[in-house]
Amino acid sequence: MTAFLRRFARATPILFAAQSNSSHTNLRLPFTAIAAISGGVSFLYYHSSPNFAHSQEAEQVESKNIALVPDKWVEFKLQDTARVSHNTQLFRFSFDPTQKLGLDIASCILTRAPLGQDAEGKPKFVIRPYTPISDPQSKGYFDLLIKVYPEGKMSQHFASLKPGDVVEVKGPIEKLRYTPNMKKHIGMIAGGTGITPMLQVIEAILKNPDDKTQISLLYANVSPDDILLKQKLDILATSHPNLKIFYTVDNPTKNWRGGAGYISKDIVVKGLPGPSDDTLILVCGPPGMMKAISGEKAKDWTQGEVSGVLKEAGYTEQMVYKF
């Protein structure tokens, strides 16, 4: 275990092993660390109703205590890294310890890195969105869980960083504004690290005893080794009857007890709430999965039409949100 992860372990006495069937070290992490490492947030705060009116003075004080600047690239220094799985790493970035990052649920940040120069000699950049996985109320740091792809320009850049290096960040970029009990039943379809925004919403619901929303999650991965936060999710499902989870993998192992293959119409019909005005289906995953399940977003990055499996199952644009 790295020093970084040992510091996580000292944060709480609740420990259990990170899910891994690979040859890599079986890290022992606290409940809160597992939540962070796997794309969730253990201690979330609720953003008040959009109609809540802060006083001008309160807004000024709040803005001074926020590290992010919506219209400006801000440098954040890499504090530490840790390998979570065979292709996934955890990155912790630090900033003023009196400030919060400034995230709502569900929102993400934009990151950018230099990518040489254009024909005119001006700097070029690669820009990618990521969802921080640390507690929004944490001060002085935020964590990113990033899957490193062989051809991924930004993920390879992250993998090359050393403690003390900086990354430029802008945000937050609000996605779905979640409010308690906004729907009776929320269905979720996630692939790989697409679990990140789902966990934000899941934990926001489960943390609030007044939120009676039912949650059904279909979580698809290449193999059992690729499932992030399985133990965390299993514990949440066991302790909260309003959370149901179905796992499926493309390449099941001999002892795998979940589903096998892609998410189909039959799986959706059996595992998610049916089409209804009180139903919302959230989808997040790699482009191929999004195209097959819900259809891609429109060219202007609006939600676009619903197609694929969800359309076949009877869901409309009003019932589906694509992260």
Side-chain angles (χ1 to χ4, degrees):
M1 185 188 299
T2 67
F4 182 17
L5 294 179
R6 283 197 294 272
R7 289 198 296 274
F8 265 126
R10 289 196 293 269
T12 174
I14 303 175
L15 301 175
F16 58 91
Q19 178 74 14
S20 176
N21 295 320
S22 69
S23 60
H24 292 271
T25 303
N26 193 29
L27 304 178
R28 294 191 64 81
L29 303 175
F31 189 79
T32 49
I34 289 292
I37 286 175
S38 299
V41 177
S42 287
F43 299 103
L44 298 176
Y45 72 105
Y46 285 94
H47 193 285
S48 57
S49 167
N51 295 323
F52 180 78
H54 293 288
S55 69
Q56 184 175 5
E57 180 180 354
E59 288 179 347
Q60 292 174 345
V61 172
E62 183 178 354
S63 65
K64 291 181 180 179
N65 292 326
I66 298 301
L68 287 171
V69 180
D71 58 354
K72 180 182 178 182
W73 292 103
V74 179
E75 289 187 345
F76 290 89
K77 183 179 295 185
L78 178 64
Q79 177 179 326
D80 216 335
T81 66
R83 183 172 295 280
V84 177
S85 71
H86 67 101
N87 62 358
T88 305
Q89 296 183 42
L90 177 68
F91 299 83
R92 169 162 291 186
F93 293 88
S94 61
F95 52 91
D96 186 338
T98 67
Q99 293 182 320
K100 298 177 183 178
L101 184 60
L103 289 180
D104 295 321
I105 297 171
S107 61
C108 68
I109 59 175
L110 294 179
T111 63
R112 80 172 183 177
L115 191 65
Q117 297 180 335
D118 61 19
E120 298 178 356
K122 297 180 180 179
K124 295 192 301 182
F125 298 92
V126 56
I127 299 175
R128 294 288 185 273
Y130 290 101
T131 301
I133 55 177
S134 40
D135 180 353
Q137 295 197 53
S138 296
K139 292 183 178 181
Y141 73 92
F142 70 91
D143 298 331
L144 294 179
L145 184 75
I146 297 176
K147 182 170 290 189
V148 180
Y149 296 96
E151 305 300 326
K153 294 177 181 179
M154 180 61 84
S155 64
Q156 286 292 331
H157 175 75
F158 272 103
S160 72
L161 295 177
K162 302 292 188 298
D165 292 342
V166 298
V167 165
E168 291 184 305
V169 176
K170 182 189 291 187
I173 308 300
E174 183 177 280
K175 294 293 191 175
L176 174 72
R177 172 61 64 92
Y178 179 77
T179 56
N181 299 302
M182 60 187 289
K183 296 290 181 180
K184 288 184 178 180
H185 201 152
I186 292 181
M188 301 177 174
I189 302 176
T193 52
I195 193 67
T196 307
M198 307 302 182
L199 281 165
Q200 287 189 341
V201 177
I202 288 172
E203 295 225 12
I205 293 171
L206 300 184
K207 180 177 182 268
N208 185 356
D210 295 324
D211 196 334
K212 308 302 181 183
T213 306
Q214 298 292 313
I215 314 164
S216 297
L217 168 65
L218 305 180
Y219 189 17
N221 283 274
V222 175
S223 72
D225 283 349
D226 292 302
I227 300 176
L228 298 172
L229 194 63
K230 187 176 186 301
Q231 289 189 12
K232 163 75 171 182
L233 290 168
D234 289 345
I235 290 173
L236 289 176
T238 299
S239 57
H240 296 85
N242 57 327
L243 172 61
K244 307 296 181 185
I245 303 172
F246 178 78
Y247 303 98
T248 185
V249 297
D250 300 343
N251 303 316
T253 56
K254 183 178 179 180
N255 298 322
W256 174 246
R257 296 183 179 180
Y262 298 149
I263 293 176
S264 63
K265 177 183 176 181
D266 183 60
I267 292 176
V268 166
V269 170
K270 292 179 179 178
L272 296 183
S276 160
D277 290 340
D278 284 321
T279 292
L280 179 63
I281 307 297
L282 309 180
V283 189
C284 189
M289 192 199 86
M290 296 291 292
K291 185 175 182 179
I293 295 296
S294 61
E296 300 172 312
K297 288 186 177 181
K299 292 183 178 180
D300 62 357
W301 295 103
T302 56
Q303 288 290 296
E305 297 181 357
V306 170
S307 60
V309 171
L310 291 180
K311 183 176 182 179
E312 294 175 10
Y315 299 94
T316 66
E317 281 76 13
Q318 292 72 34
M319 304 172 193
V320 176
Y321 184 87
K322 308 170 191 177
F323 280 104

